[in-house]
Amino acid sequence: MNEEIVRIAAKGDGVTETGRHVSGAVPGDILLEDGALERGAHYVDPPCQHFSRCGGCQLQQADEDALRDFVTQRVLGALEGQGLEPVEVLPTHLSPPHSRRRATLHAMRTHKGAVIGFREAGSHTIVDLRECLVLRKELTEQIQPLRGLISKCAGKGAVDIGMALCDQGVDLSLTNVALDNLEATEATLDYAREHQLARLSIDQGFGPETVWEPEPVTISMPGLPVAMPVGAFLQATCDAEDVMIADAREWLDGASPVADLFAGLGTFTFGLTKGRKVLAVEAERATHLACKNAAGRTGGRAFAIHRDLFRNPLQPEELNKFGGVLLDPPRAGAKAQIAQIAASTVANVVYVSCNPSSWARDAAKLIEAGFRLQKLRPVGQFRWSTHVELTSQFTR
């Protein structure tokens, strides 16, 4: 019997109504009795030559409607798993092609030169990229010339290549590159100079060391530039960041002061300082110090403290001083901190998440404490991947 594909599962397979998983299928496709697929209206030809091998994308075969629906249902499905539903679901935001401003690629020296790219799914094999439709052009332009540098300077084994677009240009960091002779050192510095890098950092096994930085590297947050430590976290795309900051501003309108938990470099902190004071709390030391330095230039509207919210979450008596709380934790969620928020008198919480599953778990705890999930927006800033994010507002 033929079966129609009705949804896309969390890892990217198409799923029939009876629960059969089919690799590469999208809603509307028909799984025929012989196992072949009859393509439906939501299937499109993948635009990248590397798709199906490269592990960077899983959903290039889905059209815009199917992709948007996948992102939406990933979030709503996690919520339904907890028996919950939001008051309002806002339009899903999808980042466009060529919008991602940070990535980690992998490289390896070969007898013919070097290969550079993402790894195949579930494998250590590197797909040698000739194009990438996800990354910003400024990043993809580094791939071809980097082959020459890797072929000269890489050690045995894989090289990790951290790439990020900052205010001054491309910030590049490399592991497993040995600067143990004059030729390698000169080749590395020549590369940075010729390609006008904002910064080049090399990790020779003792942590990243900056070898090129003509001027201090910064990343612009709303209202001011913030020093950017090597490897600091950035939202993947500027367009998604703008949408998430706008949601936070609207939902926390009138709330003062605000605590920004897991604040990072201050993406939300500095977007919320107009007309109120914001406390930024961050555990990673270099990131905290960069945020603290920038906070000192806000005229007393932003303050930063160094604190590990997993081991030492803000307590109810501390939280009760705030008119609102924003949190943007890592993928594990914020179980310990959410328990303290639930026990506090805080009435307005904005939760930004990169993991619908841990977020839904934490959402259930807030709702148990009397909150309502007022607003919810799914965000797909990792285009064509199964990685999904969201913004949400809880009030009581």
Side-chain angles (χ1 to χ4, degrees):
M1 183 178 70
N2 297 341
E3 294 187 75
E4 182 177 353
I5 304 299
V6 295
R7 65 183 178 89
I8 300 175
K11 293 186 178 180
D13 289 343
V15 184
T16 68
E17 195 164 351
T18 60
R20 294 180 66 182
H21 284 238
V22 184
S23 177
V26 297
D29 290 352
I30 302 297
L31 177 64
L32 304 178
E33 288 187 48
D34 62 2
L37 272 174
E38 181 181 293
R39 295 301 186 178
H42 294 293
Y43 176 86
V44 293
D45 291 328
C48 178
Q49 64 180 297
H50 302 297
F51 182 70
S52 79
R53 285 194 64 226
C54 177
C57 295
Q58 297 81 43
L59 297 172
Q60 285 191 12
Q61 77 279 17
D63 71 3
E64 203 75 0
D65 289 339
L67 193 59
R68 181 175 288 105
D69 187 62
F70 167 75
V71 172
T72 305
Q73 294 307 317
R74 278 278 286 116
V75 175
L76 295 182
L79 202 59
E80 290 169 5
Q82 296 286 343
L84 308 174
E85 62 181 65
V87 174
E88 181 181 5
V89 180
L90 299 174
T92 295
H93 176 81
L94 291 182
S95 291
H98 299 294
S99 60
R100 188 169 169 184
R101 62 175 172 175
R102 65 172 174 87
T104 299
L105 302 181
H106 309 284
M108 185 170 292
R109 187 172 62 182
T110 69
H111 67 282
K112 293 183 178 180
V115 295
I116 297 177
F118 294 105
R119 290 195 173 105
E120 292 182 9
S123 169
H124 291 292
T125 301
I126 298 169
V127 177
D128 197 23
L129 290 185
R130 300 298 164 179
E131 65 176 344
C132 183
L133 306 185
V134 174
L135 299 181
R136 290 276 294 266
K137 184 179 73 170
E138 297 92 331
L139 301 185
T140 57
E141 287 175 345
Q142 296 292 326
I143 295 175
Q144 180 58 31
L146 265 172
R147 298 180 203 279
L149 181 63
I150 297 300
S151 67
K152 292 177 183 177
C153 304
K156 292 182 179 180
V159 175
D160 292 334
I161 304 172
M163 311 173 77
L165 195 58
C166 61
D167 295 338
Q168 292 75 20
V170 175
D171 179 21
L172 194 66
S173 62
L174 306 174
T175 67
N176 194 29
V177 170
L179 303 183
D180 52 4
N181 58 61
L182 182 60
E183 182 183 3
T185 301
E186 288 181 340
T188 301
L189 295 177
D190 286 346
Y191 182 93
R193 184 182 304 108
E194 290 170 12
H195 296 279
Q196 300 181 318
L197 296 183
R199 178 170 58 196
L200 176 60
S201 303
I202 307 292
D203 186 344
Q204 301 183 76
F206 305 99
E209 300 174 84
T210 296
V211 298
W212 175 267
E213 188 175 13
E215 60 181 285
V217 168
T218 60
I219 188 73
S220 286
M221 299 299 177
L224 79 170
V226 179
M228 193 170 89
V230 176
F233 172 81
L234 297 176
Q235 294 294 342
T237 68
C238 293
D239 58 278
E241 179 178 272
D242 290 344
V243 167
M244 292 189 283
I245 291 173
D247 282 347
R249 282 174 171 159
E250 179 183 344
W251 299 344
L252 290 166
D253 185 38
S256 183
V258 167
D260 180 7
L261 310 183
F262 309 94
L265 291 173
T267 300
F268 295 101
T269 298
F270 302 116
L272 294 171
T273 52
K274 186 176 181 180
R276 69 182 132 210
K277 293 184 177 180
V278 182
L279 175 69
V281 186
E282 171 59 37
E284 204 285 317
R285 187 166 183 78
T287 301
H288 156 70
L289 290 173
C291 182
K292 182 178 180 180
N293 180 273
R297 307 196 303 274
T298 64
R301 289 175 290 126
F303 302 86
I305 63 172
H306 183 236
R307 186 158 169 176
D308 185 339
L309 294 172
F310 289 107
R311 294 181 174 86
N312 185 22
L314 263 63
Q315 300 299 301
E317 57 271 20
E318 297 172 288
L319 292 163
N320 293 343
K321 301 173 184 177
F322 295 95
V325 169
L326 182 144
L327 64 160
D328 182 12
R331 291 187 60 78
K335 186 176 181 180
Q337 185 60 78
I338 286 292
Q340 302 306 317
I341 293 172
S344 75
T345 60
V346 172
N348 191 353
V349 174
V350 173
Y351 194 150
V352 181
S353 174
C354 60
N355 184 349
S357 296
S358 61
W359 166 80
R361 176 204 67 203
D362 292 344
K365 185 68 176 180
L366 290 176
I367 290 171
E368 183 183 310
F371 283 91
R372 295 181 73 193
L373 176 50
Q374 204 67 41
K375 295 179 185 292
L376 172 62
R377 186 191 303 277
V379 176
Q381 65 173 323
F382 289 86
R383 186 175 183 84
W384 293 315
S385 88
T386 55
H387 187 74
V388 173
E389 310 200 20
L390 63 95
T391 58
S392 58
Q393 182 195 27
F394 298 83
T395 63
R396 61 179 173 186

